[in-house]
Amino acid sequence: MAEEERREEPRRRGISPLIMSIVIPLIVSLAVYFLLPMFLGTNQGGQGENTPSTPVEIKAVLIQPGENKTFLLKGGRDVVVIDSLSFTVGSDACRAAIAEKEDEIMDALMMIFLSKEKSELSTVPGLELLKRQIRESVNTITGFVGDREKYGVLNVYLYIKAFATTE
């Protein structure tokens, strides 16, 4: 009979530590689950990629004033000298994307200018078309299209310094 009492005694002790080893971690995990978001904040708001809720106007410079970049025009006989090219963008994320993808944007500019003639760039409608094409191209490259377009390039400021013949 003494042996039976000894066997039952450890069973009673074994249940209590087992329950405690389950209940205590459960309480701690629930406390962490509810308190951690309070300390760290939430990940809600739908902002995504550092775009503000309302567009702001930020200046982004692609070609610094005085840099004088040349681009070939249609036919390969004439070039245009661009003294400066800057943008008004709707977010800091767009300005960062322009800086990051400068090579792709310069390649797109080269393709746009290769489709233009000197006479097209000497008129107001031709310049407005050029600015619109540059804006659309930069927005496409940086990914600010569709609903996000209001956070992309809003205006293009271009200063053409001269036209020259390559012959």
Side-chain angles (χ1 to χ4, degrees):
M1 217 176 192
E3 290 178 21
E4 290 178 11
E5 287 178 14
R6 287 183 190 163
R7 288 183 186 168
E8 289 180 19
E9 212 171 284
R11 285 184 185 168
R12 289 180 190 161
R13 270 196 224 149
I15 293 175
S16 179
L18 180 64
I19 291 174
M20 294 305 277
S21 67
I22 293 173
V23 171
I24 291 175
L26 180 65
I27 292 171
V28 170
S29 64
L30 286 173
V32 169
Y33 177 77
F34 288 110
L35 294 177
L36 193 61
M38 196 172 6
F39 292 113
L40 297 179
T42 61
N43 195 18
Q44 297 176 358
Q47 297 298 319
E49 292 189 21
N50 299 327
T51 53
S53 58
T54 58
V56 294
E57 290 193 3
I58 301 170
K59 184 176 182 180
V61 178
L62 185 67
I63 300 174
Q64 295 286 337
E67 216 172 296
N68 295 332
K69 295 278 186 182
T70 58
F71 294 94
L72 278 174
L73 296 176
K74 190 175 190 177
R77 292 174 31 106
D78 294 321
V79 294
V80 62
V81 179
I82 305 297
D83 184 59
S84 67
L85 175 63
S86 61
F87 310 105
T88 301
V89 297
S91 67
D92 206 25
C94 182
R95 180 174 57 180
I98 288 171
E100 182 181 312
K101 299 184 179 216
E102 182 178 346
D103 292 338
E104 293 175 51
I105 295 169
M106 291 299 286
D107 183 60
L109 288 174
M110 179 184 66
M111 297 305 286
I112 291 170
F113 280 110
L114 277 172
S115 69
K116 302 290 181 189
E117 293 181 0
K118 185 167 83 169
S119 61
E120 291 178 68
L121 300 178
S122 300
T123 65
V124 173
L127 285 174
E128 288 175 355
L129 175 63
L130 174 67
K131 288 180 180 184
R132 189 177 73 237
Q133 288 173 331
I134 292 172
R135 185 184 78 239
E136 290 171 357
S137 179
V138 172
N139 280 340
T140 301
I141 291 169
T142 57
F144 287 90
V145 293
D147 293 341
R148 296 184 62 209
E149 190 171 4
K150 62 184 173 184
Y151 302 114
V153 175
L154 305 173
N155 291 313
V156 176
Y157 302 102
L158 174 74
Y159 177 60
I160 297 176
K161 190 165 194 172
F163 295 100
T165 304
T166 59
E167 291 181 41

